[in-house]
Amino acid sequence: LDGYSRELQSGVLSTTCLPSSGVIAGASVFEIAYMDYEADGVTPYKIYFDEVVNGEMEAGVPYIVLANEGSTQMRVFYTDNANESAKSKNGLVGYIGEGRSLAENEYFIYNNMFYYVSAADATSGRIKISNNRAYLNLADIPGYTDYVPAPGRRRMAMGNGDAPKVPTAVDNMQADKVPCTKVLIDGRFFILRGEKMYDMTGQLVK
């Protein structure tokens, strides 16, 4: 069986989507869990994603990957020759092809944030996705009420960015190293992040 490898930056999240199933080495694999919103209930606030146990990857399914400490390369050992086409899962959309520009209303990941592709971006064609990567369709990401908890799995998060957009392979993102923990207080869920507490709308609880 064949395999796949790619250089990764230490501490930087990337995306991948491969045509065959496999097991990853040198990096950890994550899948999108849910998204929550600002207080208006409309504006996306953060996307949360959970680690995949044992690093097992399904053919055609897109994932977020993070290099393990001391590693600068991901290696995937294929366990089949499925040759599946790219799929989407929980709003993460895989891409297998020669590369293309992202369209309006699609989102990309860059520097620990997710960014909207505007009409001007789409017309210019400057936001690009490379082969074996993934981008975001926020409409397909589950909300917290649809989320099935996954105890014991490492969780990370990315926020809604507002920085100027630049050409990217849609795989550059700094890891959010501050852990998030959900707690239930008097029948209400809250999120603890560092020394701060947020309600489920993303508002800081003072």
Side-chain angles (χ1 to χ4, degrees):
L1 294 175
D2 205 349
Y4 175 86
S5 65
R6 190 171 86 225
E7 293 295 319
L8 297 175
Q9 291 179 264
S10 178
V12 177
L13 286 163
S14 179
T15 61
T16 194
C17 179
L18 302 174
S20 299
S21 299
V23 178
I24 197 168
S28 299
V29 186
F30 297 82
E31 57 187 2
I32 289 180
Y34 68 93
M35 180 173 66
D36 59 15
Y37 297 85
E38 297 281 6
D40 60 11
V42 175
T43 305
Y45 174 61
K46 277 196 174 183
I47 297 173
Y48 298 86
F49 41 104
D50 294 337
E51 187 172 6
V52 176
V53 179
N54 299 326
E56 297 179 353
M57 305 167 67
E58 297 179 41
V61 176
Y63 297 95
I64 296 169
V65 294
L66 175 66
N68 294 336
E69 185 175 356
S71 174
T72 59
Q73 185 181 61
M74 61 174 280
R75 298 183 63 192
V76 178
F77 299 92
Y78 287 156
T79 55
D80 62 38
N81 292 312
N83 197 29
E84 291 277 358
S85 57
K87 305 174 184 178
S88 63
K89 184 175 182 180
N90 288 351
L92 188 62
V93 184
Y95 179 77
I96 299 175
E98 297 182 356
R100 71 168 176 85
S101 298
L102 290 181
E104 184 179 3
N105 295 324
E106 293 175 335
Y107 284 73
F108 65 97
I109 297 168
Y110 181 68
N111 280 345
N112 199 28
M113 299 286 177
F114 56 95
Y115 293 89
Y116 170 72
V117 178
S118 67
D121 292 328
T123 300
S124 70
R126 60 179 181 164
I127 310 298
K128 303 181 184 299
I129 184 168
S130 302
N131 185 32
N132 300 128
R133 304 295 202 276
Y135 59 96
L136 294 165
N137 180 356
L138 266 58
D140 290 338
I141 299 179
Y144 179 76
T145 55
D146 299 316
Y147 170 64
V148 178
R153 295 170 64 182
R154 182 163 50 141
R155 166 160 299 169
M156 305 187 83
M158 68 180 98
N160 189 352
D162 194 32
K165 301 176 181 62
V166 297
T168 174
V170 196
D171 67 343
N172 295 322
M173 173 181 163
Q174 294 295 327
D176 185 346
K177 297 181 179 179
V178 180
C180 297
T181 304
K182 296 192 297 296
V183 295
L184 183 64
I185 302 176
D186 294 332
R188 296 178 60 196
F189 275 104
F190 295 90
I191 296 173
L192 295 176
R193 186 173 187 273
E195 298 179 353
K196 297 181 179 180
M197 177 183 288
Y198 301 85
D199 63 22
M200 293 313 297
T201 68
Q203 293 298 298
L204 180 65
V205 178
K206 297 182 178 180

